[in-house]
Amino acid sequence: MPTIDQDKTLDVITIGRSSVDLYGQQLGTRLEDTASFAKSVGGCPANIAIGTARLGLRSALITRVGDEQMGRFIREQCAREGVNVDGIKTDKERLTALVLLAIEAEGVSPMIFVRTDCADMALNEGDVDEAFVRSSRAVLVSGTHFSRPDSEAAQRKAIRIARQSGGKVIFDIDYRPNLWGLAGHAEGFERYVKSDRVSAIMKSVLPDCDLIVGTEEEIMIASGADDVLSSLKAIRAVSPATIVLKRGAMGCIVYDGPISDDLEDGIVGQGFPIEVYNVLGAGDAFMSGFLRGWLTGENHATSATWANACGAFAVSRLLCSPEYPSWEELSFFLKNGSKHRALRKDEAINHIHWATNRKQGDIPLLMALACDHRMQLVDIADELGVPHERISAFKRLTVEAAARVAEGRPGYGMLIDERFGRDAFFDAATKDFTWLGRPVELPGSKPLRFEFSQDIGSQLVEWPVDHCIKCLCFYHPDDPAALKTEQQEKLRTLFEAARRVGRELLIEIIAGKNGPLKDDTVSTALQELYDLGIKPDWWKLEPQASSAAWRNIEAVIAKNDPWCRGIVLLGLEAPAEELVKAFEATKAAPAVKGFAVGRTIFIEAARAWMAGRMDDEAAIADMAGRFRALTDAWLRTRGL
């Protein structure tokens, strides 16, 4: 195993394939009959770069992507995952590779590689920067990129630089026969076609390697031998590298030193019996786990255990890189295990997976202009006799007002509704806000009802993935049992739908309109929802009367969900002076990250603008001034 070099700024650079995977969402059917697809980053090296980053390694990727939306998606998603993207080159002549996949049955996943003259296969020596490679403790080369002369030359250059600079060389054999021209377009799932030409190329790579990883079929193609034991001996004859033999559900065997006549005579890690749901991408998850151990000085048995566990996560879930575990998730699983053979059904693990791999990283500050109000603006429009279409136009002004205050800085956001705010959402998408939320509740409903349809899951599929669901519930611990049960069931349904479609959730609890607010009122309400397994990303709460109330709330959140993003304060229609006092009171509650306030900011401008007493610019300026005053007040409370 490698020693840890503190002078290197990267742990591993992976080189080769990067694609956009389009996974069929209908399971147990042919690709011909698949109707919709889920999009994710794919390709062996890209998957491993993401997998290792999630496990805490400093990873980077060298590849090419097209100068188009799919190429930008790969770059942006890798960056969001913590992968260094300095080695991702943009090819202005070629398209990003695509892969279409389906799950027909256990272990049967037909796929189509759309890779004719694609960007990543055009990688060449000029794309490999010497200083960049020298900055890493290891480089990982992949078998597919030895199939073309230019990409082969690029990988061999990286190998030379790594060896000259004391870096380690990792070889992921990654054999896809049809990417070597040995199988047809429809044979993307084919794992082995014997080829002397492929074997000759791969055998020439082996002497330069420190770690070689492959399945039984890949070990055979890399050696040219016809059985696994002979293949291992042939590899050992030309390379002193550590060899990891992947054996699917049987785990793996690690070989250091001479290869005996007993195939089982190697180092094995702990196995994890789980249900096989989808085998695609499992090897890349496995490699990610092994590298986390191998590159941090763990023994081979530990590295193999981590590799097996990461592979177990992958085969129990649908996609590739999005399903790989974070270090927190892996650690929880290794310590606690799971009562489910299908890990995707384990709520505790799934919550850690969700919370530690959110699309957007930490949001330590959130100041949002809330303009998701519907009833209040309808009342004003009706009172003034103006058409409801004017409400939609006014909401576009609130976006401009918030943007003037935010000026593209992090920590600003908006709440906008779908009923009147569709055009405002389009505007907000261009403003670089940190956070956008939209409500689903029927305004004023008690018991809680959703606004457009009670089939909430079908609505959420249409939302942008970065829009946060907001749901207001008038909820008090002293509510009648029947009412409480009905509202709890509604919130649980919403939580499950949010997780199913991958959208963040903010639950707004207003208890003060339903009964007295004591020091334990809101904390009790939160605990009752946590007891149902409801773990929203955010809470939106009314100002509390005492520091003790805030401490109780924080204690409940910390106990039940340490990964909760935090709390934002709601404003109702309180005067700005009262809100500033409420801001001061939250100094005792670090979990309160900001506010989402509306009527205090926009209500006067809305009335004046709809009445014709303010033009667009005056309304924008008025709201921007009020929003800025509140943001300044909040920042003062946090010493910012």
Side-chain angles (χ1 to χ4, degrees), residues 369-406:
L369 196 166
C371 193
D372 59 327
H373 304 70
R374 287 141 285 170
M375 291 192 305
Q376 297 88 345
L377 291 172
V378 166
D379 288 345
I380 292 174
D382 290 347
E383 176 188 334
L384 297 173
V386 300
H388 290 178
E389 288 77 10
R390 295 283 285 165
I391 299 174
S392 298
F394 177 75
K395 287 179 183 276
R396 300 187 71 179
L397 303 183
T398 67
V399 174
E400 183 59 35
R404 286 190 185 181
V405 177

Side-chain angles (χ1 to χ4, degrees), residues 174-404:
D174 180 38
Y175 182 43
R176 300 286 186 177
N178 75 335
L179 299 184
W180 286 81
L182 301 174
H185 292 309
E187 307 304 322
F189 194 60
E190 177 63 54
R191 287 292 188 262
Y192 184 72
V193 173
K194 185 175 176 59
S195 169
D196 292 339
R197 175 176 66 89
V198 174
S199 294
I201 293 173
M202 289 194 176
K203 284 170 68 175
S204 70
V205 179
L206 301 176
D208 290 324
C209 298
D210 299 283
L211 176 65
I212 299 167
V213 181
T215 63
E216 293 180 347
E217 295 88 352
E218 288 171 338
I219 292 291
M220 288 193 294
I221 195 69
S223 67
D226 291 326
D227 64 79
V228 177
L229 185 58
S230 298
S231 297
L232 291 170
K233 291 186 175 184
I235 292 173
R236 177 60 74 235
V238 298
S239 174
T242 297
I243 306 170
V244 181
L245 175 65
K246 297 188 293 186
R247 301 199 296 175
M250 297 171 62
C252 68
I253 304 177
V254 184
Y255 303 94
D256 257 348
I259 306 296
S260 75
D261 291 333
D262 182 1
L263 188 64
E264 305 295 326
D265 186 14
I267 301 167
V268 298
Q270 179 184 347
F272 302 94
I274 44 84
E275 174 198 84
V276 176
Y277 189 62
N278 171 34
V279 299
L280 299 176
D284 303 335
F286 175 96
M287 176 70 93
S288 300
F290 194 88
L291 291 181
R292 166 66 204 231
W294 191 71
L295 287 171
T296 55
E298 299 290 343
N299 60 51
H300 290 327
T302 298
S303 299
T305 296
W306 292 355
N308 290 339
C310 289
F313 276 107
V315 300
S316 187
R317 294 168 173 167
L318 176 61
L319 305 178
C320 288
S321 60
E323 314 288 27
Y324 298 169
S326 65
W327 178 246
E328 297 89 340
E329 182 183 2
L330 178 61
S331 300
F332 179 91
F333 175 64
L334 292 171
K335 178 181 179 181
N336 300 285
S338 174
K339 62 182 179 181
H340 298 275
R341 286 179 61 86
L343 296 183
R344 66 187 178 282
K345 296 180 180 179
D346 189 309
E347 287 197 6
I349 290 176
N350 286 343
H351 178 65
I352 300 172
H353 179 79
W354 167 262
T356 57
N357 294 303
R358 289 185 177 105
K359 178 179 172 62
Q360 191 172 8
D362 186 36
I363 303 178
L365 172 68
L366 179 56
M367 300 173 291
L369 196 166
C371 193
D372 59 327
H373 304 70
R374 287 141 285 170
M375 291 192 305
Q376 297 88 345
L377 291 172
V378 166
D379 288 345
I380 292 174
D382 290 347
E383 176 188 334
L384 297 173
V386 300
H388 290 178
E389 288 77 10
R390 295 283 285 165
I391 299 174
S392 298
F394 177 75
K395 287 179 183 276
R396 300 187 71 179
L397 303 183
T398 67
V399 174
E400 183 59 35
R404 286 190 185 181

Side-chain angles (χ1 to χ4, degrees), residues 10 23 47 78 110 133 182 198 229 240 262 270 280 315 400 409 454 460 494 535 583 592 600 604 615:
L10 291 171
Y23 265 89
N47 284 339
C78 284
V133 174
L182 301 174
V198 174
L229 185 58
D262 182 1
Q270 179 184 347
L280 299 176
V315 300
E400 183 59 35
R409 295 173 293 175
Q454 301 318 297
L460 300 178
L494 176 61
K535 295 181 178 181
F583 291 174
V592 183
T600 304
E604 291 188 21
D615 61 15

